Amino acid sequence: MSDADSLKVPFSRPSISNEEEKAVLDVLRSGWLTTGKYTQEFEQSFSAFMNKKPYMLEGREAEGLDTREVISLAVNSNTSGMILAMDACGVTQGTAVITTPYTFVSTATCARHLGADVYFADLEKDSYSIDPKKIEEILKSPKGKNVKAIVPVHIAGNMCNMKEICRLGKKYGIKVIEDAAHSFPSETELGYGGTIGDIGVFSFYVTKTITTAEGGMVCTRNPELAKRMTQMRMHGMDRSTWDRYTSPRASWEYDIVAPGYKFNLPDILSAIGVEQLKKAEDFFERRKKIVARYNDSFKKLDFIQLPPDGQGNSWHLYLMRIVLEKLKIDRNTFASLMQKSGIGISMHFIPLFHFTYWKELYKDFTPQNYPEAEQKYSQTITIPLWPDMTPEMADTVIETVKKTGSEYHV
């Protein structure tokens, strides 16, 4: 029995059913397991999903943003996609990106893999999103001349201020790469999250709003950026594996045009993604019902601050913020008590300035210099939120929160 099975309410479980099982068996029986026709179908279906709302193009046109159709490229992880995106945007030795310290480590380490520096901007006061004012402070400073890309992270699926961030990108002549790992399907007047900037990168890790077990998708409206990322995704080859082995042209006839990577998504995972994508809107509606149940209960508690809910929140995560002044215990103790009560919880995120590598790399990268990120970290617990949660499971979480808070209330 797994640890998750021993919990009253696991932190997360994927919503997998007969459709996904059949799709995987179809791939296994096809004789072609790596990147091929199922991956092409997944990419095309994802692009169709992202391109289906015409009103978004009107909003983009009003902001002077690219209105071409979204191009989607499947990759084996969000991390791989971020490396491809940064490479395509000119991030290399001697350059830099700006991102938030309040993110999973790969957002920043992808830049380091390419030899670039990372400049961090603190969060907005009333959200978990990177603060555009702090971004511009960096861009105005001497360090700004090295910046090739701004990398906003849509924490928990709640969108950053993309209008202002895209304006900064245009003003300073730099690219905007959205870390959209949490933000499918976050819908805004400028497009779905991950299609607003120059490039967006999604995650389909097992806990995400749709899953391929491991995997991701890169989206862009710029064909030149798409071409570079397509080549770099598979060793810098000028032909895909599927083309090499299904085309009349000899499979060994190809060129290497750049020192690329091996970041492709195999068909056996893409087949799961094709079926998950069909259910994405249903999954989203089910998540929202759980969120509403949480909010209705937690808004009555003075020791809980409800999570932000801006335009287009995908509700990948429910960030429950503890009002420490109302309690005799800290966040870690509260979280531990919930775990002991059988509730699977997590933390999103440990700010990067708490990790040895980053502390040693940048001496001024300290909690004191990023007070908003540090404060939110000290107060936040991520509680269960997944489509197949029953109302009874949600109520178990709610009652555990109430019980813990009431026992340690000031």
Side-chain angles (χ1 to χ4, degrees):
M1 186 169 66
S2 69
D3 290 342
D5 290 332
S6 66
L7 294 169
K8 294 177 185 175
V9 185
F11 174 67
S12 179
R13 272 187 181 156
S15 297
I16 300 294
S17 56
N18 293 337
E19 293 84 1
E20 289 85 356
E21 292 177 9
K22 181 181 183 301
V24 169
L25 286 173
D26 287 346
V27 175
L28 290 174
R29 292 164 180 162
S30 74
W32 185 278
L33 305 186
T34 189
T35 306
K37 66 178 182 180
Y38 285 89
T39 302
Q40 290 181 352
E41 180 182 354
F42 189 28
E43 292 173 337
Q44 291 164 4
S45 298
F46 201 81
S47 291
F49 189 105
M50 292 300 182
N51 289 319
K52 69 183 179 180
K53 297 287 183 73
Y55 88 91
M56 295 176 174
L57 295 182
E58 296 171 9
R60 297 184 65 79
E61 189 172 28
E63 290 295 316
L65 299 175
D66 195 337
T67 57
R68 289 174 289 187
E69 289 199 338
V70 172
I71 303 165
S72 301
L73 305 172
V75 289
N76 58 14
S77 70
N78 171 275
T79 302
S80 299
M82 289 297 293
I83 292 172
L84 292 176
M86 290 183 186
D87 167 85
C89 292
V91 176
T92 187
Q93 188 80 34
T95 70
V97 304
I98 298 173
T99 193
T100 168
Y102 203 90
T103 184
F104 186 62
V105 66
S106 65
T107 308
T109 53
C110 289
R112 298 297 297 152
H113 289 319
L114 294 168
D117 273 312
V118 184
Y119 304 147
F120 295 97
D122 204 2
L123 308 185
E124 296 175 319
K125 184 174 180 59
D126 298 321
S127 81
Y128 292 82
S129 297
I130 192 169
D131 187 341
K133 294 177 183 176
K134 297 294 183 181
I135 294 173
E136 188 159 30
E137 286 179 12
I138 297 170
L139 291 173
K140 286 180 175 178
S141 74
K143 295 193 298 186
K145 68 180 187 301
N146 299 325
V147 174
K148 287 290 185 179
I150 305 167
V151 188
V153 183
H154 306 311
I155 303 295
N158 200 49
M159 296 294 294
C160 297
N161 184 348
M162 289 305 296
K163 277 189 180 181
E164 189 57 33
I165 291 170
C166 287
R167 286 171 187 161
L168 289 174
K170 290 171 67 176
K171 179 178 178 179
Y172 291 91
I174 56 179
K175 301 295 187 185
V176 175
I177 302 170
E178 296 172 77
D179 187 334
H182 293 184
S183 63
F184 180 76
S186 296
E187 182 180 333
T188 81
E189 63 185 10
L190 300 181
Y192 283 102
T195 71
I196 300 172
D198 295 282
I199 303 176
V201 189
F202 296 88
S203 171
F204 304 136
Y205 181 65
V206 69
T207 60
K208 298 302 191 292
T209 53
I210 65 170
T211 186
T212 56
E214 297 277 359
M217 192 75 75
V218 183
C219 288
T220 184
R221 299 174 189 272
N222 185 320
E224 289 304 310
L225 294 177
K227 179 180 178 181
R228 171 69 178 184
M229 292 187 290
T230 299
Q231 291 172 339
M232 295 298 285
R233 175 176 57 171
M234 195 63 176
H235 300 297
M237 288 184 184
D238 65 346
R239 295 177 68 193
S240 70
T241 304
W242 179 249
D243 176 65
R244 286 168 52 214
Y245 285 95
T246 59
S247 166
R249 182 180 165 196
S251 64
W252 61 87
E253 292 180 1
Y254 61 84
D255 192 15
I256 300 295
V257 298
Y261 307 95
K262 193 176 190 309
F263 288 165
N264 58 300
L265 187 69
D267 269 11
I268 200 165
L269 300 184
S270 293
I272 299 173
V274 168
E275 297 305 321
Q276 287 272 295
L277 186 59
K278 295 173 185 176
K279 304 173 183 179
E281 290 172 318
D282 176 56
F283 288 166
F284 183 38
E285 292 303 316
R286 287 151 65 182
R287 285 178 178 274
K288 287 193 290 186
K289 288 180 181 178
I290 299 162
V291 169
R293 203 173 189 93
Y294 282 158
N295 285 347
D296 286 345
S297 295
F298 294 156
K299 69 184 180 183
K300 304 166 188 173
L301 305 177
D302 65 356
F303 58 90
I304 300 294
Q305 181 176 333
L306 299 184
D309 184 16
Q311 184 189 37
N313 197 335
S314 71
W315 288 113
H316 164 50
L317 301 172
Y318 192 97
L319 304 184
M320 186 180 72
R321 192 166 170 187
I322 308 297
V323 181
L324 295 175
E325 294 80 5
K326 298 292 184 179
L327 297 169
K328 300 173 185 176
I329 55 176
D330 62 11
R331 187 278 313 274
N332 286 355
T333 304
F334 199 111
S336 179
L337 290 168
M338 290 191 67
Q339 285 183 309
K340 289 176 181 177
S341 297
I343 307 300
I345 57 93
S346 190
M347 305 290 179
H348 293 84
F349 285 102
I350 302 171
L352 302 189
F353 46 69
H354 283 289
F355 294 119
T356 299
Y357 171 78
W358 294 101
K359 288 191 288 188
E360 292 181 349
L361 183 64
Y362 301 123
K363 299 307 178 187
D364 62 345
F365 193 33
T366 64
Q368 293 76 20
N369 288 331
Y370 300 87
E372 292 298 333
E374 178 63 10
Q375 182 186 53
K376 291 175 177 67
Y377 166 60
S378 71
Q379 297 175 339
T380 302
I381 302 171
T382 314
I383 61 175
L385 174 58
W386 36 283
D388 291 344
M389 276 182 68
T390 64
E392 292 76 19
M393 287 179 174
D395 288 344
T396 298
V397 176
I398 291 165
E399 290 308 312
T400 303
V401 170
K402 287 180 178 178
K403 181 176 182 292
T404 305
S406 62
E407 286 182 1
Y408 295 95
H409 200 278
V410 172

Coordinates of all heavy atoms in Angstrom, one line a residue, residues 214-273:
E214 N 4.6 12.2 -17.5 CA 5.7 13.1 -17.6 C 5.5 13.8 -19.0 O 5.1 13.1 -19.9 CB 7.0 12.5 -17.5 CG 7.4 11.8 -16.2 CD 7.9 12.8 -15.1 OE1 8.0 14.0 -15.5 OE2 8.2 12.3 -14.0
G215 N 5.8 15.0 -19.1 CA 5.8 15.7 -20.4 C 5.4 17.1 -20.3 O 5.1 17.7 -19.2
G216 N 5.3 17.8 -21.5 CA 5.0 19.2 -21.5 C 4.7 19.6 -22.9 O 4.8 18.8 -23.9
M217 N 4.4 20.9 -23.1 CA 4.1 21.5 -24.4 C 4.6 22.9 -24.4 O 4.5 23.6 -23.5 CB 2.6 21.5 -24.7 CG 2.2 21.8 -26.1 SD 2.5 20.4 -27.2 CE 1.1 19.3 -26.8
V218 N 5.3 23.2 -25.6 CA 5.7 24.6 -25.8 C 4.8 25.2 -26.9 O 4.5 24.6 -27.9 CB 7.2 24.6 -26.3 CG1 7.7 26.0 -26.5 CG2 8.1 23.8 -25.4
C219 N 4.4 26.4 -26.6 CA 3.5 27.1 -27.5 C 4.1 28.5 -27.9 O 4.7 29.2 -27.1 CB 2.1 27.4 -26.9 SG 1.1 25.9 -26.7
T220 N 4.0 28.8 -29.2 CA 4.4 30.1 -29.7 C 3.6 30.5 -30.9 O 3.0 29.6 -31.6 CB 5.9 30.1 -30.0 OG1 6.3 31.4 -30.4 CG2 6.2 29.2 -31.2
R221 N 3.5 31.8 -31.2 CA 2.8 32.3 -32.4 C 3.9 32.7 -33.4 O 3.5 33.1 -34.5 CB 1.9 33.5 -32.0 CG 0.8 33.1 -31.1 CD 0.0 34.4 -30.6 NE -0.9 34.1 -29.6 CZ -2.1 33.7 -29.7 NH1 -2.6 33.5 -30.9 NH2 -2.9 33.5 -28.6
N222 N 5.1 32.5 -33.1 CA 6.2 32.9 -34.0 C 6.8 31.7 -34.7 O 7.5 30.9 -34.1 CB 7.3 33.6 -33.1 CG 8.4 34.2 -34.0 OD1 8.8 33.6 -34.9 ND2 8.8 35.4 -33.6
P223 N 6.6 31.6 -36.0 CA 7.1 30.4 -36.8 C 8.6 30.3 -36.7 O 9.1 29.2 -36.7 CB 6.7 30.7 -38.2 CG 5.5 31.6 -38.1 CD 5.8 32.5 -36.9
E224 N 9.4 31.4 -36.6 CA 10.8 31.3 -36.5 C 11.3 30.7 -35.2 O 12.2 29.9 -35.1 CB 11.5 32.7 -36.7 CG 11.4 33.2 -38.2 CD 12.0 32.2 -39.2 OE1 13.1 31.8 -39.0 OE2 11.3 31.9 -40.2
L225 N 10.6 31.1 -34.1 CA 10.9 30.5 -32.8 C 10.5 29.1 -32.8 O 11.3 28.2 -32.3 CB 10.2 31.3 -31.7 CG 10.6 32.7 -31.4 CD1 9.7 33.4 -30.4 CD2 12.1 32.8 -31.1
A226 N 9.4 28.7 -33.4 CA 9.0 27.3 -33.5 C 10.0 26.5 -34.3 O 10.3 25.3 -33.9 CB 7.6 27.3 -34.1
K227 N 10.5 27.0 -35.4 CA 11.4 26.3 -36.2 C 12.7 26.0 -35.4 O 13.2 24.8 -35.4 CB 11.8 27.1 -37.4 CG 12.8 26.4 -38.3 CD 13.1 27.3 -39.5 CE 14.2 26.6 -40.4 NZ 14.5 27.5 -41.6
R228 N 13.2 27.0 -34.7 CA 14.4 26.7 -33.9 C 14.2 25.7 -32.8 O 15.0 24.8 -32.6 CB 14.8 28.1 -33.2 CG 15.9 27.9 -32.2 CD 17.3 27.6 -32.8 NE 18.3 27.5 -31.7 CZ 19.6 27.3 -32.0 NH1 20.0 27.1 -33.2 NH2 20.5 27.3 -31.0
M229 N 13.0 25.8 -32.1 CA 12.7 24.8 -31.0 C 12.5 23.4 -31.6 O 12.9 22.4 -30.9 CB 11.6 25.3 -30.2 CG 11.9 26.6 -29.4 SD 10.6 27.1 -28.2 CE 9.3 27.6 -29.4
T230 N 11.9 23.3 -32.8 CA 11.7 22.0 -33.4 C 13.0 21.3 -33.7 O 13.2 20.1 -33.4 CB 10.8 22.2 -34.7 OG1 9.6 22.7 -34.3 CG2 10.6 20.8 -35.3
Q231 N 13.9 22.1 -34.2 CA 15.2 21.5 -34.5 C 16.0 21.1 -33.3 O 16.6 20.0 -33.2 CB 16.0 22.5 -35.4 CG 15.5 22.7 -36.7 CD 16.2 23.9 -37.5 OE1 16.8 24.7 -36.9 NE2 16.1 23.9 -38.8
M232 N 16.0 22.0 -32.3 CA 16.7 21.8 -31.1 C 16.1 20.7 -30.2 O 16.8 20.0 -29.4 CB 16.9 23.0 -30.3 CG 17.7 24.1 -30.9 SD 19.4 23.7 -31.3 CE 20.1 23.8 -29.6
R233 N 14.8 20.4 -30.4 CA 14.2 19.4 -29.6 C 14.7 18.0 -29.9 O 14.7 17.1 -29.0 CB 12.7 19.4 -29.9 CG 11.8 18.3 -29.3 CD 10.4 18.5 -29.6 NE 10.0 18.5 -31.0 CZ 8.8 18.5 -31.5 NH1 7.8 18.4 -30.6 NH2 8.6 18.5 -32.8
M234 N 15.2 17.8 -31.1 CA 15.7 16.4 -31.5 C 17.1 16.5 -32.1 O 17.2 16.4 -33.3 CB 14.7 15.8 -32.4 CG 14.8 14.3 -32.6 SD 14.6 13.4 -31.0 CE 14.7 11.7 -31.6
H235 N 18.1 16.7 -31.3 CA 19.5 16.6 -31.7 C 19.9 17.7 -32.7 O 21.0 17.5 -33.3 CB 19.8 15.2 -32.2 CG 19.6 14.1 -31.2 ND1 20.3 14.1 -30.0 CD2 18.7 13.1 -31.2 CE1 19.9 13.0 -29.4 NE2 18.9 12.4 -30.1
G236 N 19.1 18.7 -33.0 CA 19.4 19.6 -34.1 C 19.2 19.1 -35.5 O 19.8 19.6 -36.4
M237 N 18.4 18.0 -35.6 CA 18.2 17.4 -36.9 C 17.2 18.2 -37.7 O 16.4 18.9 -37.2 CB 17.6 16.0 -36.8 CG 18.6 14.9 -36.3 SD 17.7 13.3 -36.2 CE 19.1 12.3 -35.5
D238 N 17.4 18.1 -39.0 CA 16.5 18.8 -39.9 C 15.3 17.9 -40.3 O 14.4 18.4 -41.1 CB 17.2 19.3 -41.2 CG 17.7 18.2 -42.1 OD1 17.8 17.0 -41.6 OD2 18.1 18.5 -43.2
R239 N 15.2 16.7 -39.8 CA 14.0 15.8 -40.0 C 13.6 15.2 -38.7 O 14.4 14.8 -37.9 CB 14.4 14.7 -41.0 CG 14.7 15.2 -42.4 CD 15.1 14.0 -43.3 NE 14.0 13.1 -43.6 CZ 14.1 11.9 -44.1 NH1 15.4 11.4 -44.4 NH2 13.1 11.1 -44.3
S240 N 12.3 15.0 -38.6 CA 11.8 14.3 -37.4 C 12.0 12.7 -37.6 O 12.2 12.2 -38.7 CB 10.3 14.5 -37.2 OG 9.5 13.9 -38.2
T241 N 12.0 12.0 -36.5 CA 12.1 10.6 -36.5 C 11.0 9.9 -37.3 O 11.2 9.0 -38.1 CB 12.2 10.0 -35.1 OG1 13.2 10.6 -34.3 CG2 12.4 8.5 -35.1
W242 N 9.8 10.4 -37.1 CA 8.6 9.9 -37.8 C 8.8 10.1 -39.3 O 8.5 9.2 -40.1 CB 7.4 10.6 -37.3 CG 6.1 10.2 -37.9 CD1 5.3 11.0 -38.8 CD2 5.4 9.0 -37.8 NE1 4.2 10.3 -39.2 CE2 4.2 9.1 -38.6 CE3 5.6 7.8 -37.1 CZ2 3.3 8.0 -38.7 CZ3 4.7 6.8 -37.2 CH2 3.6 6.9 -38.0
D243 N 9.2 11.2 -39.7 CA 9.5 11.5 -41.1 C 10.6 10.6 -41.7 O 10.4 10.0 -42.8 CB 9.8 12.9 -41.4 CG 10.2 13.2 -42.8 OD1 9.3 13.1 -43.7 OD2 11.4 13.5 -43.1
R244 N 11.6 10.4 -40.9 CA 12.7 9.6 -41.4 C 12.3 8.1 -41.6 O 12.9 7.5 -42.6 CB 13.9 9.7 -40.4 CG 14.6 11.0 -40.4 CD 15.6 11.1 -39.2 NE 16.4 9.9 -39.1 CZ 16.9 9.4 -38.0 NH1 16.5 9.9 -36.8 NH2 17.7 8.3 -38.0
Y245 N 11.4 7.6 -40.8 CA 11.1 6.2 -41.0 C 9.8 5.9 -41.7 O 9.4 4.8 -41.9 CB 11.1 5.6 -39.6 CG 12.5 5.4 -39.0 CD1 13.1 6.3 -38.2 CD2 13.3 4.2 -39.4 CE1 14.4 6.1 -37.8 CE2 14.6 4.1 -39.0 CZ 15.1 5.0 -38.1 OH 16.4 4.9 -37.7
T246 N 9.0 7.0 -42.0 CA 7.8 6.7 -42.8 C 7.8 7.4 -44.1 O 6.9 7.1 -45.0 CB 6.6 7.3 -42.0 OG1 6.8 8.7 -41.8 CG2 6.4 6.6 -40.6
S247 N 8.8 8.2 -44.4 CA 8.9 8.9 -45.7 C 9.6 8.0 -46.7 O 10.5 7.1 -46.3 CB 9.7 10.2 -45.5 OG 10.1 10.7 -46.8
P248 N 9.3 8.1 -48.0 CA 10.0 7.3 -49.0 C 11.5 7.7 -49.1 O 12.4 6.9 -49.5 CB 9.4 7.7 -50.3 CG 8.0 8.2 -49.9 CD 8.2 8.8 -48.6
R249 N 11.9 8.9 -48.6 CA 13.2 9.3 -48.5 C 14.0 8.5 -47.5 O 13.5 8.2 -46.4 CB 13.3 10.8 -48.2 CG 14.7 11.4 -48.2 CD 14.6 12.9 -47.8 NE 15.8 13.4 -47.4 CZ 16.0 14.6 -46.8 NH1 14.9 15.3 -46.4 NH2 17.2 15.0 -46.4
A250 N 15.2 8.1 -47.8 CA 16.0 7.2 -46.9 C 16.1 7.8 -45.5 O 16.4 9.0 -45.3 CB 17.4 7.0 -47.5
S251 N 16.0 7.0 -44.5 CA 16.0 7.4 -43.1 C 17.3 8.0 -42.7 O 17.4 8.8 -41.8 CB 15.6 6.3 -42.2 OG 16.6 5.2 -42.2
W252 N 18.4 7.6 -43.3 CA 19.7 8.1 -42.9 C 20.1 9.4 -43.6 O 21.2 9.9 -43.3 CB 20.8 7.0 -43.2 CG 20.9 6.7 -44.7 CD1 21.7 7.3 -45.6 CD2 20.2 5.6 -45.3 NE1 21.5 6.7 -46.8 CE2 20.6 5.7 -46.7 CE3 19.3 4.7 -45.0 CZ2 20.1 4.8 -47.7 CZ3 18.8 3.8 -45.9 CH2 19.2 3.8 -47.2
E253 N 19.2 9.9 -44.4 CA 19.5 11.2 -45.0 C 19.0 12.3 -44.2 O 17.8 12.6 -44.2 CB 18.9 11.2 -46.4 CG 19.6 10.2 -47.4 CD 18.9 10.3 -48.8 OE1 18.0 11.1 -49.0 OE2 19.3 9.5 -49.7
Y254 N 19.9 12.9 -43.4 CA 19.5 14.1 -42.6 C 20.7 14.9 -42.3 O 21.8 14.5 -42.5 CB 18.8 13.6 -41.3 CG 19.7 12.8 -40.4 CD1 20.6 13.4 -39.5 CD2 19.6 11.4 -40.4 CE1 21.4 12.6 -38.7 CE2 20.4 10.6 -39.6 CZ 21.3 11.2 -38.7 OH 22.1 10.5 -37.9
D255 N 20.4 16.1 -41.9 CA 21.5 17.0 -41.5 C 21.4 17.4 -40.1 O 20.3 17.4 -39.5 CB 21.4 18.3 -42.4 CG 22.7 19.1 -42.3 OD1 23.7 18.7 -41.8 OD2 22.6 20.3 -42.7
I256 N 22.5 17.8 -39.4 CA 22.5 18.4 -38.1 C 22.8 19.8 -38.2 O 23.9 20.2 -38.7 CB 23.5 17.7 -37.2 CG1 23.3 16.2 -37.1 CG2 23.6 18.4 -35.8 CD1 22.0 15.8 -36.4
V257 N 21.9 20.7 -37.9 CA 22.0 22.1 -38.1 C 22.4 22.9 -36.8 O 22.7 24.1 -36.9 CB 20.7 22.7 -38.7 CG1 20.4 22.1 -40.1 CG2 19.5 22.5 -37.7
A258 N 22.4 22.2 -35.7 CA 22.7 22.9 -34.4 C 23.0 21.8 -33.4 O 22.5 20.6 -33.5 CB 21.6 23.8 -33.9
P259 N 23.7 22.1 -32.3 CA 23.9 21.1 -31.2 C 22.7 21.0 -30.3 O 22.6 21.6 -29.3 CB 25.2 21.7 -30.5 CG 25.0 23.1 -30.7 CD 24.4 23.3 -32.0
G260 N 21.8 20.2 -30.8 CA 20.5 20.1 -30.1 C 20.4 19.2 -28.9 O 21.4 18.7 -28.4
Y261 N 19.2 18.9 -28.5 CA 19.0 18.1 -27.3 C 18.1 16.9 -27.7 O 17.7 16.7 -28.8 CB 18.2 18.9 -26.2 CG 18.9 20.2 -25.9 CD1 18.5 21.4 -26.5 CD2 19.9 20.2 -24.9 CE1 19.1 22.6 -26.2 CE2 20.5 21.4 -24.6 CZ 20.1 22.6 -25.2 OH 20.7 23.8 -24.9
K262 N 17.7 16.0 -26.7 CA 16.7 15.0 -26.9 C 15.6 15.2 -26.0 O 15.5 14.7 -24.9 CB 17.3 13.6 -26.8 CG 16.4 12.5 -27.3 CD 17.0 11.1 -27.2 CE 16.1 10.1 -28.0 NZ 14.7 10.1 -27.6
F263 N 14.6 16.1 -26.4 CA 13.5 16.5 -25.6 C 12.2 16.1 -26.1 O 11.2 16.7 -25.7 CB 13.6 18.0 -25.5 CG 14.7 18.6 -24.6 CD1 15.1 19.9 -24.7 CD2 15.4 17.8 -23.8 CE1 16.1 20.5 -23.9 CE2 16.5 18.3 -23.0 CZ 16.8 19.6 -23.1
N264 N 12.1 15.1 -27.0 CA 10.9 14.7 -27.6 C 10.0 14.0 -26.7 O 10.4 13.3 -25.7 CB 11.1 13.9 -28.9 CG 11.9 12.6 -28.5 OD1 13.1 12.7 -28.0 ND2 11.4 11.5 -28.8
L265 N 8.6 14.0 -26.9 CA 7.6 13.3 -26.1 C 7.2 12.0 -26.9 O 6.8 12.1 -28.1 CB 6.4 14.1 -25.9 CG 5.4 13.5 -24.9 CD1 5.9 13.4 -23.5 CD2 4.1 14.4 -25.0
P266 N 7.3 10.8 -26.4 CA 7.0 9.6 -27.1 C 5.5 9.4 -27.2 O 4.7 9.9 -26.4 CB 7.6 8.5 -26.3 CG 7.7 9.0 -24.9 CD 8.0 10.5 -25.1
D267 N 5.1 8.6 -28.2 CA 3.7 8.4 -28.5 C 2.9 7.8 -27.4 O 1.7 8.0 -27.2 CB 3.5 7.5 -29.8 CG 3.4 8.3 -31.1 OD1 3.7 9.6 -31.0 OD2 3.1 7.8 -32.1
I268 N 3.6 6.9 -26.6 CA 2.9 6.2 -25.6 C 2.4 7.2 -24.5 O 1.4 7.0 -23.9 CB 3.8 5.1 -24.9 CG1 3.0 4.1 -24.2 CG2 4.9 5.7 -24.1 CD1 3.7 2.8 -23.9
L269 N 3.1 8.3 -24.3 CA 2.6 9.4 -23.4 C 1.7 10.4 -24.1 O 0.7 10.8 -23.5 CB 3.8 10.1 -22.8 CG 4.8 9.3 -22.0 CD1 5.9 10.1 -21.4 CD2 4.1 8.4 -20.9
S270 N 2.0 10.7 -25.4 CA 1.1 11.6 -26.1 C -0.3 11.0 -26.2 O -1.3 11.8 -26.2 CB 1.7 11.8 -27.5 OG 2.9 12.5 -27.4
A271 N -0.4 9.7 -26.3 CA -1.7 9.1 -26.5 C -2.6 9.4 -25.2 O -3.8 9.6 -25.3 CB -1.6 7.6 -26.7
I272 N -1.9 9.3 -24.0 CA -2.6 9.7 -22.8 C -3.1 11.2 -22.9 O -4.2 11.5 -22.5 CB -1.7 9.5 -21.6 CG1 -1.3 8.0 -21.5 CG2 -2.4 10.0 -20.3 CD1 -0.3 7.7 -20.4
G273 N -2.2 12.0 -23.4 CA -2.5 13.4 -23.5 C -3.6 13.7 -24.4 O -4.4 14.6 -24.1

